[in-house]
Amino acid sequence: MPPVLTAAEIDHAARLLRFGRLVAFPTETVYGLGANALDAEAVGRIFAVKGRPNTSPVIVHVASIEMAQKLAAWPETADRLAKKFWPGPLTLVLPLGGVGGRGRPPLRGPGLAVAAPRAIPLIVTAGLPTVGLRMPAHPVALALIRAAAVPVAAPSANRFTELSPTTAEHVRRSLGNDVDYILDGGPCQVGIESTVLSLAEPRPVIYRPGGVSRHELESLIGPIAIAAAPAAGAHPAPGMHARHYSPRTRLLLVKDGELPMEGKGIYLKHTHPAVHVSVETIQMPTEASAYAAALYDALYRVDEGDFDWIAVDAPPDGPEWEAVDDRLRRAATTED
Ligand code: TXA
Ligand code: MG
């Protein structure tokens, strides 16, 4: 049962956001580290706390389609996607603009920010002419954004390159006292991050697979390209750092229960019930969305132990496994 949050707690958190402070909050994907997206200084604190390079843009969370339309250009495709998948685990990358786009200074103060046109400061988008927008499907996240009455910039609430948190306890463990307030909404239901889909290029492109599958998106808007992984040594495009979403323990993808011989390890077992191994084992769900929901918590637990490696069964093929496969591949890589 998720803990019950009171309206007073949400109001308190919303007030903190309006005063430029950082609030961690639950979404259906992972916990976010939120700041007022119109306050460049507050967003700067997100980067400082996470240790995140300022070349990496932050997703802006909204509570309605109308709020999104004030921040970005809103093509017909965005409208169709948002009507079907919002609130939900889909981030749309759109050209900045909307009603009162860039070019105006960021507005300050609660009253002003609500009434006047909004402008997203450069730090949020890492200087890009586009912004990633998402309406999360978690009642606490939506209530928080509505109460703050400002769009909320929020990356996952973990240090850069570490695992994304799927419980309030994960947030505490990763960020400790560096976050001003944590709203505990219980464990996240989706468990991996949103799909990032750009509508700012000639054709729609997926920058990051996630909670909404490519298959679901394509059945609404037709063929979608997948952004290529960055070449080794090249500066990664935003969000394309290969090593990301990683546990501290060395992660190996394995087939048919073929585990390393040396060191102390743990086995994240998936579809091979017949394989008998002598190491400690975590049995993962066999269905893709249940697996995704359990993954980061399993990896957090592994990091608490004293293991030299985690061996993870490579996930099966199939469109519903695309996002899990992406996260496991990134977690298994040792490159930056
Ligand atoms: O599920 C999620 O998306 C979570 C929750 C908190 O909403 N947030 C999250 O944020 O995962 P973060 O910052 O850890 O990942 C944001 C991703 C990155 O891959 C970033 O590069 C991409 O979104 N992104 C954001 N704005 C972008 C833009 N304007 N252009 C390209 N990519 C963008
Ligand atoms: Mg992240």
Side-chain angles (χ1 to χ4, degrees):
M1 275 300 278
V4 178
L5 281 161
T6 63
E9 282 172 280
I10 288 175
D11 279 348
H12 177 67
R15 246 191 323 274
L16 288 174
L17 284 179
R18 282 200 300 265
F19 283 113
R21 311 286 289 274
L22 303 187
V23 172
F25 63 96
T27 81
E28 79 283 24
T29 59
V30 301
Y31 274 72
L33 178 62
N36 176 354
L38 307 178
D39 182 339
E41 239 172 80
V43 177
R45 288 192 57 219
I46 292 179
F47 284 85
V49 164
K50 280 189 64 107
R52 177 174 169 129
N54 58 13
T55 49
S56 199
V58 177
I59 294 172
V60 174
H61 296 72
V62 295
S64 66
I65 289 179
E66 294 67 40
M67 206 165 177
Q69 290 169 329
K70 292 190 174 124
L71 302 170
W74 194 255
E76 189 269 337
T77 320
D79 210 51
R80 265 197 291 157
L81 287 163
K83 281 185 175 135
K84 175 144 177 137
F85 295 108
W86 280 9
L90 176 66
T91 296
L92 297 175
V93 173
L94 295 159
L96 277 166
V99 185
R102 187 165 281 165
R104 295 161 199 253
L107 298 159
R108 290 183 187 279
L112 264 181
V114 184
R118 286 116 193 260
I120 297 286
L122 283 168
I123 186 168
V124 172
T125 63
L128 295 171
T130 55
V131 61
L133 297 177
R134 164 164 129 78
M135 178 174 171
H138 195 295
V140 172
L142 291 174
L144 177 68
I145 301 164
R146 287 197 190 105
V150 290
V152 175
S156 51
N158 55 282
R159 311 265 179 210
F160 186 61
T161 80
E162 286 184 355
L163 289 170
S164 296
T166 55
T167 67
E169 181 51 33
H170 295 161
V171 179
R172 270 178 222 117
R173 232 184 291 163
S174 183
L175 300 180
N177 291 329
D178 287 345
V179 52
D180 296 307
Y181 198 63
I182 301 175
L183 286 169
D184 186 347
C188 302
Q189 301 296 305
V190 174
I192 53 173
E193 301 82 352
S194 63
T195 304
V196 178
L197 175 69
S198 173
L199 298 179
E201 300 194 30
R203 285 183 48 194
V205 182
I206 288 179
Y207 287 158
R208 179 179 72 182
V212 177
S213 74
R214 175 160 56 110
H215 183 76
E216 290 173 274
L217 296 170
E218 286 186 331
S219 61
L220 189 69
I221 63 165
I224 296 173
I226 307 245
H235 184 71
M240 299 293 288
H241 297 267
R243 188 175 166 77
H244 218 128
Y245 316 100
S246 303
R248 276 188 291 273
T249 314
R250 189 164 63 102
L251 186 147
L252 310 155
L253 284 175
V254 298
K255 282 209 159 63
D256 305 319
E258 284 170 13
L259 308 184
M261 303 300 284
E262 69 291 344
K264 182 185 169 203
I266 183 162
Y267 181 28
L268 226 65
K269 197 158 161 238
H270 173 227
T271 51
H272 302 282
V275 176
H276 291 286
V277 293
S278 54
V279 303
E280 195 177 321
T281 295
I282 298 178
Q283 179 65 53
M284 295 296 283
T286 54
E287 192 269 316
S289 61
Y291 186 109
L295 179 61
Y296 290 152
D297 189 57
L299 297 179
Y300 261 96
R301 276 191 285 139
V302 168
D303 271 348
E304 297 227 293
D306 174 31
F307 297 103
D308 300 313
W309 49 261
I310 322 165
V312 182
D313 279 329
D317 291 334
E320 71 279 22
W321 288 95
E322 205 164 47
V324 164
D325 189 67
D326 171 81
R327 299 307 186 274
L328 287 175
R329 272 173 209 290
R330 293 184 199 227
T333 183
T334 50
E335 283 172 36
D336 271 337

